[in-house]
Amino acid sequence: MPLAFLIPVFSFAACPLIILFQRWLPLRGAPLAILAIAGGFAVWVWTLFGFLGASESNPACAVNGITHALTCHFSTDWFEAGLPGVAATVDQAIHLDWGILIDPLTIVLLGLITFVALGVQLYSLAYMKGDPRFGWYFAWQALFVAAMLTLALADNFLLLYIAWELVGLCSYLLIGFWFEQPGPREAAKKAFVVTRIGDVGLLVGILLLWVNVGSFSMTEAFAAAQSGALSSGVTTAAALLLLLGAMGKSAQFPFHVWLPDAMEGPTPVSALIHAATMVIAGVYLVARAYPIFAASPEALLIVASIGLITALGAATVALVSTDLKRILAYSTISHLGLMMLSLGALGWTAAVFHLMAHGFAKALLFLGAGSVMHGVGAHGDVDIRRVGGLRRAMPITAVVFSIGALSLGGIPILSGFWSKDEILLAVSGNLPVVFIVLTILTAALSALYMARAMFVVFFGPEGEDSAHAHESPALMLVVMGALAVLAVGFGWIAFDWPGSFGGFGGFVFYDHAEGFHFNIVLAGISGVLAIAAFVGAWLVYARRSISVASWRARLAPLLKVVENKYYVDEFYQWAIDRVILTTSAAVAWFDRAMVNDVAVNGPADVVRRAGFALRLHVTGHVYSYALAVALGVIALAVFWWLRSA
């Protein structure tokens, strides 16, 4: 397990090597990035077996007093700032360790990141072939993956924040990879700016914890929150500030607007961002800092509320979107909202379980979308109305994409069905009935928009852009096939099979191990609604035996609002144009005219003008001075005469 730090180190090392030597490396250094993440995956497997065989007898391992899960901690001195011991009153030295924290949450997240990243990079060999910046693409991907792996391993908030910001930087570089085009440029800037807003909250939250705990250590902060050493106000404030950072990275309302535009980047990047790296960072942060959130019921309710708003709102937008990648993007936002909702409903294990199941299915769907783009020769948006009937030209892509859609739609007995059922159970047991009803509605909408995308693209009438479609290269298909296997079978690890450590909930849990909870009523409702959604979509979009034109006419005003994404982007633009720029102009005028011209330059200007005025009488001519004396005498005489009179 101590070698787990090598998992990100391999990719960190690959990035500069590719940048410096890509001219002389085969395939511009792409194999080096692939070998780095493959090495990281191999070390993860080694770490997994080491962790499964570990016990409290290991000096580095102990059962966490809060989570009650086995936790192994390996660290070394990083740096020390301050002057301890100089005086008795000096007690503010900062001592930081550079360490890794290995527990079940770390293990499963490392597995998801390394496996999906390895698949995406193999897929990219074929998808990005011929790109003029082929080597740079793999260099930035290696750095992106390394930053996310570091974030998952970090044992203190400062190291986590460094990795957090590096993830944001890499997302900017990859979303804007084709920066010569205006779309990717603007999308990259939008993602960078929007997520920075949340990152400020995260930084303030970390500093708040440091001030009150006296350490950046996660373990010490969690212990302080649970023991009551932190006041309820500080705990709630810290939780909400951490949540602000999580909302930015995980695209929660109202910071979700950057994620759909991020589709301007290469499709494999979209798969990596949406399945295994950037967007799951926020969910991971809340799950990792859960002892702080658990100590504040108010914060948990806010987490659940934001998650539900995000999940339901994004699901409705996905239902009316026509661009394939944007449908998947809004699907990601919706499912991230479900994970946040589950965390707010005390469904910690359910949230992590869905994070994993969603990660495999969503990576498959985005790579499937990339396969569609490759097959039809599209280089930008893919209007699903123009690429119908692809099951004949792209049969393998149709099968694997359908598996991902069925899984994410919650069709029994695929992975997404089991994880969604766990979320529904957590919500039904800990939140008011309105949350339950809206969560079930969100799950039904999830099935409906996935069915719509699947049937229109692959099983509907042939589109005008489908005439020359062809199947993708074998390497792309193999990667999608591996992800399809996990989209089908991953959910089965929820059950307590012989030698399975009690199933997923017996390995990954908070506070106590959990067996798989199966509620026949909730499972039946969600399963029936999912199947009904797919059957209805098949009748509408594949068979064309049901027309929805009349319903569209009746719901036209509502559809207009949803199709315009509830005008959130327009509101932001209005706020920028009318509020921020107007306020900024007023502040700039006040700074220039009052602060600079009056307060700062005013006294100097008065002295300068007075000097110019006073020096006028200094002519250097005797006659001028004689005239002044004569005038003075006359003035005194007149003054004396007037007084005497």
Side-chain angles (χ1 to χ4, degrees):
M1 285 186 293
L3 296 178
F5 79 92
L6 291 173
I7 298 175
V9 165
F10 291 147
S11 293
F12 269 128
C15 176
L17 290 175
I18 294 172
I19 292 173
L20 294 173
F21 304 110
Q22 59 177 290
R23 184 179 302 178
W24 301 281
L25 292 172
L27 294 177
R28 312 292 287 184
L32 190 59
I34 295 170
L35 286 174
I37 194 60
F41 181 72
V43 174
W44 171 77
V45 174
W46 184 264
T47 303
L48 171 63
F49 283 111
F51 183 79
L52 294 177
S55 66
E56 292 184 77
S57 61
N58 189 318
C61 301
V63 173
N64 189 296
I66 300 172
T67 66
H68 298 106
L70 184 67
T71 303
C72 301
H73 187 203
F74 305 91
S75 64
T76 186
D77 290 341
W78 185 3
F79 69 84
E80 188 170 284
L83 298 172
V86 173
T89 57
V90 178
D91 191 28
Q92 297 300 317
I94 301 174
H95 180 83
L96 274 176
D97 294 331
W98 186 293
I100 59 175
L101 198 66
I102 300 178
D103 64 358
L105 177 61
T106 305
I107 290 290
V108 297
L109 200 69
L110 292 177
L112 174 67
I113 296 169
T114 52
F115 182 82
V116 172
L118 178 59
V120 166
Q121 291 192 0
L122 289 171
Y123 179 99
S124 298
L125 282 175
Y127 188 87
M128 298 295 292
K129 184 178 180 180
D131 191 277
R133 291 190 294 275
F134 190 74
W136 285 97
Y137 170 85
F138 280 90
W140 297 143
Q141 273 222 2
L143 185 62
F144 193 20
V145 173
M148 188 64 200
L149 290 168
T150 303
L151 192 154
L153 283 166
D155 71 330
N156 66 78
F157 281 114
L158 186 57
L159 179 57
L160 179 142
Y161 186 75
I162 293 171
W164 185 276
E165 291 299 317
L166 191 55
V167 166
L169 171 63
C170 294
S171 69
Y172 171 80
L173 294 171
L174 286 169
I175 293 170
F177 183 73
W178 290 317
F179 55 82
E180 63 274 8
Q181 303 172 23
R185 279 202 309 271
E186 295 303 316
K189 288 190 290 185
K190 186 175 184 179
F192 194 76
V193 171
V194 173
T195 55
R196 288 293 77 70
I197 298 171
D199 293 354
V200 171
L202 174 61
L203 178 60
V204 175
I206 291 173
L207 294 177
L208 179 64
L209 289 171
W210 174 68
V211 167
N212 287 274
V213 177
S215 170
F216 286 109
S217 168
M218 293 183 186
T219 304
E220 294 181 25
F222 300 160
Q226 286 291 307
S227 66
L230 294 179
S231 67
S232 60
V234 170
T235 302
T236 300
L240 294 180
L241 288 166
L242 295 179
L243 175 62
L244 198 62
M247 290 166 60
K249 279 287 192 290
S250 286
Q252 299 296 286
F253 177 85
F255 301 138
H256 65 284
V257 292
W258 68 268
L259 192 56
D261 289 359
M263 299 304 95
E264 296 287 348
T267 301
V269 170
S270 301
L272 195 59
I273 288 177
H274 287 247
T277 51
M278 184 168 174
V279 297
I280 66 170
V283 176
Y284 167 76
L285 176 63
V286 176
R288 173 59 73 198
Y290 206 65
I292 298 175
F293 287 88
S296 173
E298 299 83 0
L300 283 180
L301 182 59
I302 293 173
V303 171
S305 301
I306 289 174
L308 180 60
I309 293 170
T310 303
L312 185 57
T316 56
V317 177
L319 192 59
V320 299
S321 298
T322 56
D323 178 68
L324 180 57
K325 288 178 65 177
R326 288 182 182 268
I327 293 173
L328 299 180
Y330 280 105
S331 168
T332 298
I333 297 171
S334 180
H335 283 271
L336 291 168
L338 287 176
M339 296 173 209
M340 288 291 192
L341 171 61
S342 182
L343 289 168
L346 301 177
W348 191 91
T349 299
V352 178
F353 187 30
H354 192 60
L355 183 150
M356 299 291 292
H358 169 267
F360 295 126
K362 187 53 61 70
L364 171 60
L365 288 167
F366 266 107
L367 296 185
S371 181
V372 169
M373 295 174 68
H374 187 277
V376 301
H379 299 287
D381 296 343
V382 178
D383 191 327
I384 61 174
R385 298 166 297 184
R386 297 170 60 91
V387 294
L390 290 178
R391 70 183 184 279
R392 298 181 184 87
M394 308 179 68
I396 301 176
T397 299
V399 170
V400 294
F401 187 96
S402 298
I403 289 172
L406 292 167
S407 176
L408 212 58
I411 294 294
I413 51 179
L414 304 179
S415 297
F417 170 75
W418 305 115
S419 58
K420 274 188 183 179
D421 183 66
E422 288 289 277
I423 291 176
L424 288 172
L425 195 59
V427 172
S428 65
N430 298 289
L431 291 175
V433 66
V434 64
F435 280 81
I436 305 170
V437 173
L438 293 178
T439 304
I440 292 174
L441 175 61
T442 302
L445 291 176
S446 175
L448 192 56
Y449 64 66
M450 288 314 311
R452 172 174 171 261
M454 182 183 82
F455 286 122
V456 171
V457 173
F458 294 102
F459 300 95
E462 185 171 321
E464 54 189 287
D465 291 345
S466 304
H468 303 290
H470 57 82
E471 192 58 276
S472 296
L475 183 58
M476 295 168 62
L477 298 177
V478 168
V479 173
M480 290 190 292
L483 289 168
V485 171
L486 288 169
V488 172
F490 177 79
W492 291 92
I493 71 168
F495 297 96
D496 186 10
W497 303 103
S500 65
F501 298 91
F504 189 85
F507 179 65
V508 182
F509 58 85
Y510 179 84
D511 190 35
H512 61 277
E514 301 182 33
F516 182 71
H517 307 106
F518 187 78
N519 185 300
I520 188 64
V521 175
L522 288 174
I525 293 173
S526 65
V528 168
L529 288 175
I531 294 172
F534 274 85
V535 171
W538 177 70
L539 293 173
V540 172
Y541 300 110
R543 287 290 302 274
R544 300 296 178 102
S545 58
I546 297 178
S547 174
V548 293
S550 60
W551 283 100
R552 288 188 63 86
R554 294 175 187 174
L555 300 175
L558 178 61
L559 285 176
K560 183 179 179 181
V561 173
V562 179
E563 287 171 348
N564 284 281
K565 300 165 287 187
Y566 297 100
Y567 297 101
V568 176
D569 281 293
E570 287 77 4
F571 171 77
Y572 280 141
Q573 194 63 55
W574 174 86
I576 291 170
D577 293 341
R578 300 298 178 86
V579 179
I580 295 176
L581 292 181
T582 302
T583 304
S584 299
V587 171
W589 175 86
F590 181 82
D591 177 69
R592 183 182 63 255
M594 303 303 294
V595 176
N596 188 68
D597 294 349
V598 176
V600 177
N601 293 338
D605 192 53
V606 169
V607 172
R608 183 178 63 84
R609 290 177 182 274
F612 275 115
L614 291 173
R615 76 179 185 177
L616 294 177
H617 75 285
V618 183
T619 64
H621 299 123
V622 174
Y623 57 80
S624 298
Y625 302 147
L627 176 63
V629 170
L631 290 175
V633 169
I634 294 171
L636 287 172
V638 171
F639 176 73
W640 176 79
W641 179 74
L642 290 174
R643 274 191 77 181
S644 300

